[in-house]
PDB file of all heavy atoms in Angstrom:
ATOM      1  N   LEU A   1     -98.321  82.128 -15.965  1.00  0.00           N
ATOM      2  CA  LEU A   1     -99.788  81.827 -16.142  1.00  0.00           C
ATOM      3  C   LEU A   1    -100.071  81.136 -17.465  1.00  0.00           C
ATOM      4  O   LEU A   1     -99.426  81.461 -18.454  1.00  0.00           O
ATOM      5  CB  LEU A   1    -100.687  83.087 -15.986  1.00  0.00           C
ATOM      6  CG  LEU A   1    -100.708  83.769 -14.594  1.00  0.00           C
ATOM      7  CD1 LEU A   1    -101.407  85.038 -14.674  1.00  0.00           C
ATOM      8  CD2 LEU A   1    -101.359  82.877 -13.617  1.00  0.00           C
ATOM      9  N   PRO A   2    -101.087  80.153 -17.501  1.00  0.00           N
ATOM     10  CA  PRO A   2    -101.171  79.479 -18.667  1.00  0.00           C
ATOM     11  C   PRO A   2    -101.834  80.250 -19.823  1.00  0.00           C
ATOM     12  O   PRO A   2    -102.752  80.900 -19.637  1.00  0.00           O
ATOM     13  CB  PRO A   2    -102.193  78.328 -18.224  1.00  0.00           C
ATOM     14  CG  PRO A   2    -102.999  78.984 -17.135  1.00  0.00           C
ATOM     15  CD  PRO A   2    -102.003  79.838 -16.391  1.00  0.00           C
ATOM     16  N   PHE A   3    -101.184  79.982 -21.034  1.00  0.00           N
ATOM     17  CA  PHE A   3    -101.832  80.690 -22.234  1.00  0.00           C
ATOM     18  C   PHE A   3    -102.693  79.624 -22.819  1.00  0.00           C
ATOM     19  O   PHE A   3    -103.986  79.996 -22.970  1.00  0.00           O
ATOM     20  CB  PHE A   3    -100.673  80.966 -23.232  1.00  0.00           C
ATOM     21  CG  PHE A   3    -101.155  81.373 -24.568  1.00  0.00           C
ATOM     22  CD1 PHE A   3    -102.023  82.538 -24.689  1.00  0.00           C
ATOM     23  CD2 PHE A   3    -101.096  80.660 -25.837  1.00  0.00           C
ATOM     24  CE1 PHE A   3    -102.512  83.078 -25.849  1.00  0.00           C
ATOM     25  CE2 PHE A   3    -101.403  81.081 -26.989  1.00  0.00           C
ATOM     26  CZ  PHE A   3    -102.254  82.287 -27.004  1.00  0.00           C
ATOM     27  N   THR A   4    -102.511  78.345 -23.029  1.00  0.00           N
ATOM     28  CA  THR A   4    -103.300  77.426 -23.551  1.00  0.00           C
ATOM     29  C   THR A   4    -102.674  76.035 -23.399  1.00  0.00           C
ATOM     30  O   THR A   4    -101.588  75.898 -22.920  1.00  0.00           O
ATOM     31  CB  THR A   4    -103.571  77.535 -25.048  1.00  0.00           C
ATOM     32  OG1 THR A   4    -104.633  76.723 -25.522  1.00  0.00           O
ATOM     33  CG2 THR A   4    -102.349  77.324 -25.877  1.00  0.00           C
ATOM     34  N   GLY A   5    -103.637  74.983 -23.541  1.00  0.00           N
ATOM     35  CA  GLY A   5    -102.995  73.541 -23.472  1.00  0.00           C
ATOM     36  C   GLY A   5    -102.370  73.208 -24.566  1.00  0.00           C
ATOM     37  O   GLY A   5    -101.523  73.965 -25.263  1.00  0.00           O
ATOM     38  N   ASN A   6    -102.635  72.039 -25.170  1.00  0.00           N
ATOM     39  CA  ASN A   6    -101.820  71.564 -26.312  1.00  0.00           C
ATOM     40  C   ASN A   6    -102.532  72.214 -27.676  1.00  0.00           C
ATOM     41  O   ASN A   6    -103.443  73.015 -27.455  1.00  0.00           O
ATOM     42  CB  ASN A   6    -102.043  69.999 -26.520  1.00  0.00           C
ATOM     43  CG  ASN A   6    -103.543  69.540 -26.639  1.00  0.00           C
ATOM     44  OD1 ASN A   6    -104.312  70.148 -27.254  1.00  0.00           O
ATOM     45  ND2 ASN A   6    -103.643  68.346 -25.967  1.00  0.00           N
ATOM     46  N   ILE A   7    -101.933  71.986 -28.748  1.00  0.00           N
ATOM     47  CA  ILE A   7    -102.235  72.570 -29.883  1.00  0.00           C
ATOM     48  C   ILE A   7    -103.679  72.399 -30.389  1.00  0.00           C
ATOM     49  O   ILE A   7    -104.462  73.260 -30.867  1.00  0.00           O
ATOM     50  CB  ILE A   7    -101.413  72.179 -31.089  1.00  0.00           C
ATOM     51  CG1 ILE A   7    -101.505  73.038 -32.427  1.00  0.00           C
ATOM     52  CG2 ILE A   7    -101.371  70.683 -31.318  1.00  0.00           C
ATOM     53  CD1 ILE A   7    -101.243  74.449 -32.281  1.00  0.00           C
ATOM     54  N   GLY A   8    -104.219  71.347 -29.981  1.00  0.00           N
ATOM     55  CA  GLY A   8    -105.676  70.930 -30.317  1.00  0.00           C
ATOM     56  C   GLY A   8    -106.600  71.943 -29.443  1.00  0.00           C
ATOM     57  O   GLY A   8    -107.602  72.484 -30.025  1.00  0.00           O
ATOM     58  N   ASP A   9    -106.222  72.195 -28.324  1.00  0.00           N
ATOM     59  CA  ASP A   9    -106.885  73.218 -27.494  1.00  0.00           C
ATOM     60  C   ASP A   9    -107.027  74.508 -28.118  1.00  0.00           C
ATOM     61  O   ASP A   9    -107.950  75.309 -28.015  1.00  0.00           O
ATOM     62  CB  ASP A   9    -106.501  73.200 -25.971  1.00  0.00           C
ATOM     63  CG  ASP A   9    -106.596  71.976 -25.174  1.00  0.00           C
ATOM     64  OD1 ASP A   9    -107.541  71.268 -25.586  1.00  0.00           O
ATOM     65  OD2 ASP A   9    -105.772  71.829 -24.337  1.00  0.00           O
ATOM     66  N   LEU A  10    -105.792  74.914 -28.605  1.00  0.00           N
ATOM     67  CA  LEU A  10    -105.734  76.246 -29.226  1.00  0.00           C
ATOM     68  C   LEU A  10    -106.414  76.382 -30.441  1.00  0.00           C
ATOM     69  O   LEU A  10    -107.026  77.557 -30.751  1.00  0.00           O
ATOM     70  CB  LEU A  10    -104.088  76.471 -29.530  1.00  0.00           C
ATOM     71  CG  LEU A  10    -103.829  77.939 -29.832  1.00  0.00           C
ATOM     72  CD1 LEU A  10    -104.251  78.843 -28.739  1.00  0.00           C
ATOM     73  CD2 LEU A  10    -102.297  77.919 -30.082  1.00  0.00           C
ATOM     74  N   VAL A  11    -106.415  75.399 -31.360  1.00  0.00           N
ATOM     75  CA  VAL A  11    -106.965  75.763 -32.672  1.00  0.00           C
ATOM     76  C   VAL A  11    -108.341  75.092 -32.912  1.00  0.00           C
ATOM     77  O   VAL A  11    -108.871  75.358 -34.006  1.00  0.00           O
ATOM     78  CB  VAL A  11    -105.930  75.263 -33.838  1.00  0.00           C
ATOM     79  CG1 VAL A  11    -104.675  75.931 -33.637  1.00  0.00           C
ATOM     80  CG2 VAL A  11    -105.804  73.599 -33.871  1.00  0.00           C
ATOM     81  N   GLU A  12    -108.800  74.029 -32.193  1.00  0.00           N
ATOM     82  CA  GLU A  12    -109.963  73.330 -32.470  1.00  0.00           C
ATOM     83  C   GLU A  12    -111.109  74.242 -32.271  1.00  0.00           C
ATOM     84  O   GLU A  12    -111.505  74.802 -31.318  1.00  0.00           O
ATOM     85  CB  GLU A  12    -110.216  72.173 -31.488  1.00  0.00           C
ATOM     86  CG  GLU A  12    -111.424  71.352 -31.726  1.00  0.00           C
ATOM     87  CD  GLU A  12    -111.682  70.739 -33.062  1.00  0.00           C
ATOM     88  OE1 GLU A  12    -110.561  70.264 -33.603  1.00  0.00           O
ATOM     89  OE2 GLU A  12    -112.678  70.945 -33.641  1.00  0.00           O
ATOM     90  N   PRO A  13    -111.974  74.483 -33.472  1.00  0.00           N
ATOM     91  CA  PRO A  13    -113.137  75.379 -33.270  1.00  0.00           C
ATOM     92  C   PRO A  13    -114.125  75.040 -32.323  1.00  0.00           C
ATOM     93  O   PRO A  13    -114.767  75.943 -31.819  1.00  0.00           O
ATOM     94  CB  PRO A  13    -113.680  75.186 -34.793  1.00  0.00           C
ATOM     95  CG  PRO A  13    -112.563  74.730 -35.711  1.00  0.00           C
ATOM     96  CD  PRO A  13    -111.779  73.874 -34.863  1.00  0.00           C
ATOM     97  N   ALA A  14    -114.297  73.776 -31.988  1.00  0.00           N
ATOM     98  CA  ALA A  14    -115.386  73.426 -31.044  1.00  0.00           C
ATOM     99  C   ALA A  14    -114.957  74.074 -29.610  1.00  0.00           C
ATOM    100  O   ALA A  14    -115.884  74.224 -28.822  1.00  0.00           O
ATOM    101  CB  ALA A  14    -115.383  71.893 -30.877  1.00  0.00           C
ATOM    102  N   THR A  15    -113.643  74.324 -29.295  1.00  0.00           N
ATOM    103  CA  THR A  15    -113.339  74.819 -28.146  1.00  0.00           C
ATOM    104  C   THR A  15    -113.313  76.362 -28.081  1.00  0.00           C
ATOM    105  O   THR A  15    -112.832  77.128 -27.163  1.00  0.00           O
ATOM    106  CB  THR A  15    -112.069  74.413 -27.628  1.00  0.00           C
ATOM    107  OG1 THR A  15    -111.021  74.730 -28.510  1.00  0.00           O
ATOM    108  CG2 THR A  15    -112.105  72.800 -27.495  1.00  0.00           C
ATOM    109  N   ALA A  16    -113.527  76.965 -29.383  1.00  0.00           N
ATOM    110  CA  ALA A  16    -113.425  78.450 -29.643  1.00  0.00           C
ATOM    111  C   ALA A  16    -111.964  79.030 -29.177  1.00  0.00           C
ATOM    112  O   ALA A  16    -111.822  79.988 -28.581  1.00  0.00           O
ATOM    113  CB  ALA A  16    -114.455  79.145 -28.814  1.00  0.00           C
ATOM    114  N   SER A  17    -110.959  78.186 -29.471  1.00  0.00           N
ATOM    115  CA  SER A  17    -109.680  78.528 -29.092  1.00  0.00           C
ATOM    116  C   SER A  17    -109.408  78.825 -27.620  1.00  0.00           C
ATOM    117  O   SER A  17    -109.752  79.880 -27.094  1.00  0.00           O
ATOM    118  CB  SER A  17    -109.208  79.798 -29.862  1.00  0.00           C
ATOM    119  OG  SER A  17    -109.155  79.549 -31.299  1.00  0.00           O
ATOM    120  N   ALA A  18    -109.112  77.749 -26.931  1.00  0.00           N
ATOM    121  CA  ALA A  18    -109.080  77.648 -25.375  1.00  0.00           C
ATOM    122  C   ALA A  18    -107.775  78.475 -24.964  1.00  0.00           C
ATOM    123  O   ALA A  18    -106.904  77.799 -24.719  1.00  0.00           O
ATOM    124  CB  ALA A  18    -109.224  76.265 -24.886  1.00  0.00           C
ATOM    125  N   VAL A  19    -108.027  79.780 -24.778  1.00  0.00           N
ATOM    126  CA  VAL A  19    -107.011  80.567 -24.233  1.00  0.00           C
ATOM    127  C   VAL A  19    -107.351  80.892 -22.883  1.00  0.00           C
ATOM    128  O   VAL A  19    -108.290  81.692 -22.619  1.00  0.00           O
ATOM    129  CB  VAL A  19    -106.755  81.915 -25.081  1.00  0.00           C
ATOM    130  CG1 VAL A  19    -105.717  82.799 -24.528  1.00  0.00           C
ATOM    131  CG2 VAL A  19    -106.239  81.357 -26.483  1.00  0.00           C
ATOM    132  N   PHE A  20    -106.534  80.466 -21.738  1.00  0.00           N
ATOM    133  CA  PHE A  20    -106.801  80.904 -20.423  1.00  0.00           C
ATOM    134  C   PHE A  20    -106.494  82.333 -20.038  1.00  0.00           C
ATOM    135  O   PHE A  20    -107.442  82.991 -19.426  1.00  0.00           O
ATOM    136  CB  PHE A  20    -106.054  79.946 -19.470  1.00  0.00           C
ATOM    137  CG  PHE A  20    -106.387  78.451 -19.734  1.00  0.00           C
ATOM    138  CD1 PHE A  20    -105.550  77.542 -20.233  1.00  0.00           C
ATOM    139  CD2 PHE A  20    -107.694  77.978 -19.447  1.00  0.00           C
ATOM    140  CE1 PHE A  20    -105.733  76.170 -20.365  1.00  0.00           C
ATOM    141  CE2 PHE A  20    -107.886  76.712 -19.453  1.00  0.00           C
ATOM    142  CZ  PHE A  20    -107.017  75.737 -19.987  1.00  0.00           C
ATOM    143  N   TYR A  21    -105.494  82.752 -20.419  1.00  0.00           N
ATOM    144  CA  TYR A  21    -105.022  84.131 -20.279  1.00  0.00           C
ATOM    145  C   TYR A  21    -104.447  84.759 -21.497  1.00  0.00           C
ATOM    146  O   TYR A  21    -103.628  84.068 -22.234  1.00  0.00           O
ATOM    147  CB  TYR A  21    -103.892  84.227 -19.137  1.00  0.00           C
ATOM    148  CG  TYR A  21    -104.419  83.986 -17.808  1.00  0.00           C
ATOM    149  CD1 TYR A  21    -104.441  82.718 -17.281  1.00  0.00           C
ATOM    150  CD2 TYR A  21    -104.771  85.028 -16.966  1.00  0.00           C
ATOM    151  CE1 TYR A  21    -104.880  82.481 -15.936  1.00  0.00           C
ATOM    152  CE2 TYR A  21    -105.138  84.805 -15.631  1.00  0.00           C
ATOM    153  CZ  TYR A  21    -105.317  83.484 -15.107  1.00  0.00           C
ATOM    154  OH  TYR A  21    -105.678  83.292 -13.862  1.00  0.00           O
ATOM    155  N   PRO A  22    -104.782  85.875 -22.026  1.00  0.00           N
ATOM    156  CA  PRO A  22    -104.219  86.491 -23.190  1.00  0.00           C
ATOM    157  C   PRO A  22    -102.722  86.550 -22.958  1.00  0.00           C
ATOM    158  O   PRO A  22    -102.171  86.716 -21.943  1.00  0.00           O
ATOM    159  CB  PRO A  22    -104.766  87.992 -23.227  1.00  0.00           C
ATOM    160  CG  PRO A  22    -105.357  88.164 -21.832  1.00  0.00           C
ATOM    161  CD  PRO A  22    -105.644  86.933 -21.173  1.00  0.00           C
ATOM    162  N   VAL A  23    -102.101  86.371 -24.043  1.00  0.00           N
ATOM    163  CA  VAL A  23    -100.522  86.316 -23.956  1.00  0.00           C
ATOM    164  C   VAL A  23     -99.923  87.606 -23.422  1.00  0.00           C
ATOM    165  O   VAL A  23     -99.030  87.520 -22.483  1.00  0.00           O
ATOM    166  CB  VAL A  23     -99.946  86.083 -25.480  1.00  0.00           C
ATOM    167  CG1 VAL A  23    -100.166  87.129 -26.339  1.00  0.00           C
ATOM    168  CG2 VAL A  23     -98.405  85.798 -25.236  1.00  0.00           C
ATOM    169  N   LEU A  24    -100.143  88.668 -23.747  1.00  0.00           N
ATOM    170  CA  LEU A  24    -100.146  90.016 -23.090  1.00  0.00           C
ATOM    171  C   LEU A  24     -98.640  90.420 -22.706  1.00  0.00           C
ATOM    172  O   LEU A  24     -98.448  91.647 -22.594  1.00  0.00           O
ATOM    173  CB  LEU A  24    -100.966  90.186 -21.898  1.00  0.00           C
ATOM    174  CG  LEU A  24    -101.380  91.496 -21.372  1.00  0.00           C
ATOM    175  CD1 LEU A  24    -102.013  92.193 -22.468  1.00  0.00           C
ATOM    176  CD2 LEU A  24    -102.270  91.389 -20.207  1.00  0.00           C
ATOM    177  N   LEU A  25     -97.747  89.378 -22.478  1.00  0.00           N
ATOM    178  CA  LEU A  25     -96.359  89.822 -21.891  1.00  0.00           C
ATOM    179  C   LEU A  25     -95.338  89.668 -22.884  1.00  0.00           C
ATOM    180  O   LEU A  25     -95.419  88.701 -23.796  1.00  0.00           O
ATOM    181  CB  LEU A  25     -96.049  88.992 -20.662  1.00  0.00           C
ATOM    182  CG  LEU A  25     -97.057  89.017 -19.620  1.00  0.00           C
ATOM    183  CD1 LEU A  25     -96.509  88.123 -18.451  1.00  0.00           C
ATOM    184  CD2 LEU A  25     -97.203  90.459 -19.150  1.00  0.00           C
ATOM    185  N   ASP A  26     -94.323  90.510 -22.939  1.00  0.00           N
ATOM    186  CA  ASP A  26     -93.183  90.380 -23.962  1.00  0.00           C
ATOM    187  C   ASP A  26     -92.133  89.449 -23.208  1.00  0.00           C
ATOM    188  O   ASP A  26     -92.386  88.811 -22.127  1.00  0.00           O
ATOM    189  CB  ASP A  26     -92.532  91.792 -24.162  1.00  0.00           C
ATOM    190  CG  ASP A  26     -91.991  92.424 -23.004  1.00  0.00           C
ATOM    191  OD1 ASP A  26     -91.549  91.815 -21.945  1.00  0.00           O
ATOM    192  OD2 ASP A  26     -91.711  93.620 -23.058  1.00  0.00           O
ATOM    193  N   GLU A  27     -91.039  89.360 -23.871  1.00  0.00           N
ATOM    194  CA  GLU A  27     -89.997  88.248 -23.360  1.00  0.00           C
ATOM    195  C   GLU A  27     -89.446  88.721 -22.104  1.00  0.00           C
ATOM    196  O   GLU A  27     -88.763  87.792 -21.329  1.00  0.00           O
ATOM    197  CB  GLU A  27     -88.829  88.310 -24.428  1.00  0.00           C
ATOM    198  CG  GLU A  27     -88.062  89.646 -24.686  1.00  0.00           C
ATOM    199  CD  GLU A  27     -88.626  90.425 -25.703  1.00  0.00           C
ATOM    200  OE1 GLU A  27     -89.826  90.485 -25.926  1.00  0.00           O
ATOM    201  OE2 GLU A  27     -87.807  91.246 -26.240  1.00  0.00           O
ATOM    202  N   PHE A  28     -89.578  89.889 -21.621  1.00  0.00           N
ATOM    203  CA  PHE A  28     -89.087  90.295 -20.295  1.00  0.00           C
ATOM    204  C   PHE A  28     -90.047  90.200 -19.195  1.00  0.00           C
ATOM    205  O   PHE A  28     -89.810  90.496 -17.984  1.00  0.00           O
ATOM    206  CB  PHE A  28     -88.493  91.758 -20.335  1.00  0.00           C
ATOM    207  CG  PHE A  28     -87.388  91.981 -21.413  1.00  0.00           C
ATOM    208  CD1 PHE A  28     -87.600  92.579 -22.589  1.00  0.00           C
ATOM    209  CD2 PHE A  28     -86.033  91.313 -21.014  1.00  0.00           C
ATOM    210  CE1 PHE A  28     -86.457  92.813 -23.498  1.00  0.00           C
ATOM    211  CE2 PHE A  28     -85.064  91.473 -22.032  1.00  0.00           C
ATOM    212  CZ  PHE A  28     -85.264  92.278 -23.234  1.00  0.00           C
ATOM    213  N   GLY A  29     -91.307  89.830 -19.552  1.00  0.00           N
ATOM    214  CA  GLY A  29     -92.366  89.850 -18.646  1.00  0.00           C
ATOM    215  C   GLY A  29     -93.136  91.224 -18.501  1.00  0.00           C
ATOM    216  O   GLY A  29     -94.066  91.252 -17.592  1.00  0.00           O
ATOM    217  N   ASN A  30     -92.792  92.070 -19.287  1.00  0.00           N
ATOM    218  CA  ASN A  30     -93.527  93.392 -19.325  1.00  0.00           C
ATOM    219  C   ASN A  30     -94.801  93.257 -19.962  1.00  0.00           C
ATOM    220  O   ASN A  30     -94.946  92.654 -21.048  1.00  0.00           O
ATOM    221  CB  ASN A  30     -92.653  94.540 -19.787  1.00  0.00           C
ATOM    222  CG  ASN A  30     -91.300  94.624 -18.932  1.00  0.00           C
ATOM    223  OD1 ASN A  30     -91.328  94.555 -17.703  1.00  0.00           O
ATOM    224  ND2 ASN A  30     -90.290  94.834 -19.798  1.00  0.00           N
ATOM    225  N   THR A  31     -95.805  94.142 -19.579  1.00  0.00           N
ATOM    226  CA  THR A  31     -97.000  94.102 -20.285  1.00  0.00           C
ATOM    227  C   THR A  31     -96.857  94.749 -21.756  1.00  0.00           C
ATOM    228  O   THR A  31     -96.238  95.782 -21.851  1.00  0.00           O
ATOM    229  CB  THR A  31     -98.079  95.004 -19.585  1.00  0.00           C
ATOM    230  OG1 THR A  31     -98.301  94.512 -18.222  1.00  0.00           O
ATOM    231  CG2 THR A  31     -99.402  95.128 -20.301  1.00  0.00           C
ATOM    232  N   ALA A  32     -97.435  94.040 -22.773  1.00  0.00           N
ATOM    233  CA  ALA A  32     -97.219  94.479 -24.085  1.00  0.00           C
ATOM    234  C   ALA A  32     -98.591  94.308 -24.731  1.00  0.00           C
ATOM    235  O   ALA A  32     -98.887  93.380 -25.442  1.00  0.00           O
ATOM    236  CB  ALA A  32     -96.162  93.563 -24.811  1.00  0.00           C
ATOM    237  N   VAL A  33     -99.315  95.361 -24.748  1.00  0.00           N
ATOM    238  CA  VAL A  33    -100.587  95.538 -25.450  1.00  0.00           C
ATOM    239  C   VAL A  33    -100.249  95.841 -26.877  1.00  0.00           C
ATOM    240  O   VAL A  33    -100.016  96.968 -27.189  1.00  0.00           O
ATOM    241  CB  VAL A  33    -101.525  96.388 -24.760  1.00  0.00           C
ATOM    242  CG1 VAL A  33    -102.887  96.546 -25.594  1.00  0.00           C
ATOM    243  CG2 VAL A  33    -101.897  96.131 -23.317  1.00  0.00           C
ATOM    244  N   ALA A  34    -100.240  94.838 -27.776  1.00  0.00           N
ATOM    245  CA  ALA A  34     -99.647  95.022 -29.021  1.00  0.00           C
ATOM    246  C   ALA A  34    -100.399  94.033 -30.103  1.00  0.00           C
ATOM    247  O   ALA A  34    -101.095  93.202 -29.758  1.00  0.00           O
ATOM    248  CB  ALA A  34     -98.268  94.681 -29.114  1.00  0.00           C
ATOM    249  N   HIS A  35    -100.375  94.535 -31.303  1.00  0.00           N
ATOM    250  CA  HIS A  35    -100.807  93.724 -32.473  1.00  0.00           C
ATOM    251  C   HIS A  35     -99.395  93.153 -33.110  1.00  0.00           C
ATOM    252  O   HIS A  35     -98.460  93.863 -33.299  1.00  0.00           O
ATOM    253  CB  HIS A  35    -101.593  94.523 -33.397  1.00  0.00           C
ATOM    254  CG  HIS A  35    -102.951  94.765 -32.944  1.00  0.00           C
ATOM    255  ND1 HIS A  35    -103.234  95.989 -32.216  1.00  0.00           N
ATOM    256  CD2 HIS A  35    -104.137  94.086 -32.940  1.00  0.00           C
ATOM    257  CE1 HIS A  35    -104.463  95.989 -31.860  1.00  0.00           C
ATOM    258  NE2 HIS A  35    -105.104  94.935 -32.251  1.00  0.00           N
TER     259      HIS A  35
END
């Protein structure tokens, strides 16, 4: 599932950081609600 498009989509304030889905998963694909 998409996290974000290019770096401009991610950091440009005008787009409020365009994140489609929260990253949420660890390297194994398990749910990782973490800071």
Side-chain angles (χ1 to χ4, degrees):
L1 288 176
F3 174 62
T4 190
N6 62 38
I7 187 67
D9 296 332
L10 186 61
V11 305
E12 177 60 42
T15 64
S17 297
V19 172
F20 298 110
Y21 288 86
V23 62
L24 203 59
L25 303 181
D26 67 19
E27 66 271 24
F28 300 106
N30 299 320
T31 300
V33 179
H35 288 92

